[in-house]
């Protein structure tokens, strides 16, 4: 499909720079077959049905942005560098993006405060492989004090502060590995979860470590030419069992965010519509025409023009319906992107 079909006008001042407090006070646009309804996240227990199952992504954002220097060598001066870690390759090795990548060569030494690394390789897609001097728990401890929250550039130029360390984690964050938050989960509070449980709405968890694709714009004119980065995910047996039991009882599967949806639909695609226990990587790219098998409802934030995420929600709820919903959201001054408001969509 043409990428320009997913374009729309978005005023810069609608991109949220901080989340609302408390989190469940965010606005929610309820997109139904009979129209658009302005609500808040606190209305969610009344919008779902007893017996529904919410599926959350329990990934945790790591302080993946590092600023430091390339150590000078003979004839070469120190150069300031910025690195975004993308994926743990094991044994202290990480896939990363770097700026300025053109100034780096295999073998170069980098210093990020107390954290040292060497450039092991450069890849065709512009990423690099870094081998860190510290590994295991010592690496994690040093990264926690050296790295910063990898905010996307649309939020304060990507410059995070101490408040973001709390703001950019969901209530469900358990497993380190993401470079971006599964932002639909940011709206949930203990009080809201208690109200949902009281309403007979269940919850279960999956893990998808959100990778660099979140930050990458679509630079081609046709969706068929866009390549997604692979991300690691896991559906535990308990969650697969809960989904099967919900289906058997006539309940609906409610994905909290596009990351959980992408993982569930990957597994369902490979298991004839069923969600089975699963561990692996997915590079699924969902555009209109995709056959959804696992998810019935989707709670998700408002996404940017021409993004893979706006393509996904258009596939889920229909392109024309989503264009109308987003036009309403802009007129009504909903807040967009990671720290913004959300919408509830039906398949």
């Amino acid at each position: 499909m043409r990428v320009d079909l997913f374009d729309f006008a978005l005023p810069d001042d609608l991109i949220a720079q901080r989340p609302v407090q408390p989190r469940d006070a965010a606005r929610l646009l309820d997109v139904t077959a009979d129209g658009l309804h302005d609500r808040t996240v606190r209305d969610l227990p009344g919008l779902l049905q007893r017996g529904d199952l919410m599926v959350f992504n329990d990934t945790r954002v790591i302080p993946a942005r590092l600023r430091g220097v390339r150590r000078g060598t003979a004839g070469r001066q120190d150069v300031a560098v910025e690195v975004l870690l993308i994926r743990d390759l094991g044994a202290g090795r990480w896939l990363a993006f770097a700026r300025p990548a053109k100034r780096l060569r295999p073998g170069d030494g980098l210093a990020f405060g107390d954290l040292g690394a060497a450039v092991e390789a450069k890849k065709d897609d512009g990423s690099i492989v870094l081998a860190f001097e510290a590994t295991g728990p010592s690496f994690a401890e040093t990264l926690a004090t050296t790295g910063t929250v990898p905010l996307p550039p649309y939020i304060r130029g990507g410059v995070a502060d101490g408040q973001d360390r709390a703001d950019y984690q969901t209530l469900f964050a358990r497993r380190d590995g993401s470079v971006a938050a599964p932002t639909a989960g940011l709206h949930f509070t203990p009080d809201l979860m208690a109200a949902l449980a009281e309403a007979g709405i269940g919850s279960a968890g999956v893990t998808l470590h959100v990778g660099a694709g979140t930050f990458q714009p679509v630079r081609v004119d046709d969706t068929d030419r866009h390549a997604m980065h692979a991300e690691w995910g896991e559906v535990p047996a308990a969650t697969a069992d809960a989904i099967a039991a919900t289906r058997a009882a006539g309940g609906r599967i409610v994905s909290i965010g596009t990351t959980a949806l992408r993982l569930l639909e990957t597994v369902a695609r490979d298991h004839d519509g069923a969600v089975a226990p699963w561990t692996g990587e997915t590079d699924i790219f969902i555009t209109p025409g995709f056959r959804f098998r696992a998810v019935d409802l989707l709670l998700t934030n408002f996404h940017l023009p021409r993004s893979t995420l706006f393509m996904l929600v258009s596939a889920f709820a229909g392109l024309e319906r989503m264009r109308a919903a987003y036009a309403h959201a802009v007129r009504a001054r909903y807040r967009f992107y990671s720290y913004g408001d959300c919408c509830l969509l039906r398949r």
Side-chain angles (χ1 to χ4, degrees):
M1 296 184 70
R2 296 198 330 266
V3 171
D4 61 9
L5 293 173
F6 304 95
D7 202 2
F8 57 90
L10 177 64
D12 288 344
D13 65 345
L14 293 187
I15 299 177
Q17 301 301 299
R18 298 281 186 186
V20 297
Q21 296 294 341
R23 297 185 182 203
D24 57 9
R27 298 169 72 189
L28 183 155
L29 180 60
D30 188 18
V31 181
T32 70
D34 63 356
L36 307 172
H37 311 278
D38 298 310
R39 308 188 191 279
T40 69
V41 173
R42 290 173 182 163
D43 295 322
L44 196 56
L47 301 177
L48 302 182
Q49 298 173 6
R50 181 171 294 274
D52 287 347
L53 179 72
M54 301 177 298
V55 181
F56 295 90
N57 186 356
D58 67 4
T59 189
R60 183 175 178 83
V61 180
I62 62 172
R65 179 164 281 131
L66 295 166
R67 294 180 174 88
V69 296
R70 184 200 69 193
R71 296 167 176 150
T73 56
R76 300 172 76 203
Q77 296 180 335
D78 287 358
V79 174
V81 295
E82 180 178 310
V83 163
L84 176 65
L85 302 180
I86 301 172
R87 184 193 296 179
D88 185 356
L89 301 176
R93 298 166 64 250
W94 282 78
L95 190 66
F97 284 132
R99 293 189 301 180
K102 292 181 179 180
R103 303 289 296 274
L104 300 180
R105 305 172 187 168
D108 282 348
L110 307 180
F112 309 100
D114 295 330
L115 203 56
V119 179
E120 186 176 282
K122 296 184 72 172
K123 294 186 171 291
D124 292 340
D125 65 357
S127 62
I128 63 174
V129 177
L130 292 178
F132 284 90
E133 296 168 0
T135 60
S138 63
F139 172 81
E141 291 170 3
T142 308
L143 183 65
T145 58
T146 304
T148 60
V149 175
L151 287 181
Y154 327 104
I155 300 176
R156 304 193 306 279
V159 179
D161 57 25
Q163 184 177 334
D164 292 301
R165 285 199 174 241
D167 286 347
Y168 205 53
Q169 298 284 10
T170 73
L171 180 67
F172 317 98
R174 298 288 184 273
R175 304 179 69 179
D176 286 349
S178 279
V179 301
T183 53
L186 294 177
H187 300 295
F188 288 79
T189 64
D191 286 347
L192 177 59
M193 291 301 295
L196 287 159
E198 186 175 349
I201 299 155
S203 61
V206 297
T207 304
L208 184 74
H209 290 326
V210 189
T214 294
F215 296 91
Q216 300 305 303
V218 178
R219 295 189 174 94
V220 294
D221 296 328
D222 192 292
T223 58
D224 288 343
R225 297 169 54 204
H226 179 72
M228 295 284 285
H229 284 84
E231 297 165 316
W232 182 90
E234 181 175 43
V235 177
T239 295
D241 291 345
I243 289 172
T246 299
R247 287 277 188 225
R252 302 175 300 177
I253 306 304
V254 184
S255 180
I256 306 302
T258 57
T259 60
L261 180 144
R262 292 179 64 244
L263 179 58
L264 294 177
E265 293 296 342
T266 295
V267 178
R269 181 189 60 183
D270 295 343
H271 293 82
D272 197 27
V275 177
W278 187 90
T279 301
E281 293 187 341
T282 178
D283 61 358
I284 192 171
F285 180 24
I286 296 176
T287 58
F290 181 86
R291 182 186 176 191
F292 291 89
R293 293 181 164 192
V295 174
D296 301 299
L297 288 89
L298 170 64
L299 182 78
T300 182
N301 283 23
F302 289 97
H303 306 295
L304 296 185
R306 301 173 71 98
S307 65
T308 62
L309 298 180
F310 184 61
M311 295 171 190
L312 183 154
V313 298
S314 297
F316 188 80
L319 177 56
E320 292 309 313
R321 179 175 294 175
M322 291 314 302
R323 289 180 67 88
Y326 272 50
H328 172 87
V330 169
R331 288 193 303 271
R333 300 197 61 78
Y334 277 73
R335 303 164 75 245
F336 277 63
Y337 210 62
S338 303
Y339 281 155
D341 299 315
C342 62
C343 54
L344 181 64
L345 311 177
R346 279 82 175 166
R347 188 171 73 186

